[in-house]
Amino acid sequence: VFVDQSPIGRTARSNPVSYVGAWDAIRALFAAAPLAKQRGYTPAKFSFNSGDGRCPTCGGSGFEHVEMQFLSDIYLRCPDCDGQRYRPEILEVRIDRQAVGDLRARHLNVADVLALTVAEAAQLFARDREVIRALQPIVDVGLDYVTLGQPVPTLSGGEAQRLKLAGFLADATKTQSASRPTRATKGQLFLFD
C-alpha cells in the first residue's frame, strides 16, 4: 500500500472522525438519547453531510464560502448556526459522558463532540466499544491533538499520511472483530513517501 502525502479529501466536511468510521457510532449514541427517541430522530439526523439536521444556510460546513474575483476566497462563520453545523433543535439533544477516573460528567451535543480533540474524545468515549475501536488508531499514530471535526484538507502532508494509516488500522480492527475465528491473513507492506 503506497501512502503518500496527497490530500485525503477536498471537502471541508471530511474530518478525522468520519475518515476512520467513528462518526457512525457516535451518531448512533445521539439517536439513542432520550430526547432524540422522543422526537423520533435517527442517526441520519445527526449527519452534517446530508439530511435535514444540518444547518440549511451553510449546508453543514459551519461557514459560508465567499468567492473573491481577484483576491483569495473568504470563509465566514455561518451567521445562522455560528459554525456549529446543525439546526438548533438538533443541538438540543445531548449525551452524558464521563472520562474514566473523572467525577464529573459532561453534557455534550454533536457540535461539542466535534470540537473535542481525539485525546479528549478517547477519554470520554472509553466505555463505548465501537467509538474507541475507531478512535484508538488515531491516538496510536500520534494525531491525538487534532479535533474530531477538523477539516481534513487543513492537515499537513505528514498528518494526512498518519490519518491514512489510522484508517487502515481502524479497518483492520473492524474486520478482526467481525470475524469470529481469527485466521492468518496475508500481510500488507506500507510504503510511505
Side-chain angles (χ1 to χ4, degrees):
V1 179
F2 183 65
V3 183
D4 62 2
Q5 292 188 11
S6 63
I8 292 174
R10 303 221 186 277
T11 174
R13 287 196 198 107
S14 179
N15 55 42
V17 73
S18 61
Y19 188 80
V20 296
W23 192 238
D24 293 336
I26 292 172
R27 289 186 307 130
L29 291 172
F30 276 101
L35 183 60
K37 283 183 174 182
Q38 179 185 356
R39 293 179 177 177
Y41 292 169
T42 64
K45 201 72 146 172
F46 298 94
S47 173
F48 51 80
N49 284 322
S50 64
D52 57 354
R54 66 183 179 174
C55 172
T57 304
C58 65
S61 67
F63 58 86
E64 291 183 307
H65 178 209
V66 179
E67 291 185 31
M68 304 296 285
Q69 287 189 356
F70 299 107
L71 301 170
S72 297
D73 291 352
I74 298 174
Y75 295 90
L76 302 172
R77 183 180 295 258
C78 177
D80 289 340
C81 69
D82 194 31
Q84 293 186 314
R85 300 180 174 192
Y86 293 93
R87 294 178 182 265
E89 59 270 20
I90 300 300
L91 295 172
E92 291 172 359
V93 177
R94 295 182 174 272
I95 58 174
D96 291 327
R97 284 295 173 272
Q98 186 173 352
V100 177
D102 195 357
L103 297 176
R104 64 181 175 92
R106 293 183 60 183
H107 203 55
L108 306 165
N109 65 28
V110 285
D112 296 333
V113 171
L114 288 171
L116 294 172
T117 65
V118 173
E120 292 169 329
Q123 290 177 353
L124 291 172
F125 291 97
R127 294 180 183 98
D128 299 299
R129 193 170 137 221
E130 279 304 303
V131 177
I132 199 65
R133 177 200 58 75
L135 283 182
Q136 191 59 47
I138 302 176
V139 174
D140 293 341
V141 298
L143 288 177
D144 56 346
Y145 57 90
V146 300
T147 61
L148 298 183
Q150 179 174 341
V152 169
T154 65
L155 297 175
S156 72
E159 289 170 332
Q161 279 184 308
R162 289 185 280 160
L163 186 59
K164 289 175 188 177
L165 179 59
F168 282 109
L169 294 172
D171 283 345
T173 61
K174 190 179 203 177
T175 19
Q176 266 183 348
S177 63
S179 62
R180 299 277 181 223
T182 306
R183 298 183 315 207
T185 57
K186 190 174 183 180
Q188 290 183 316
L189 173 65
F190 288 86
L191 297 175
F192 288 86
D193 176 15

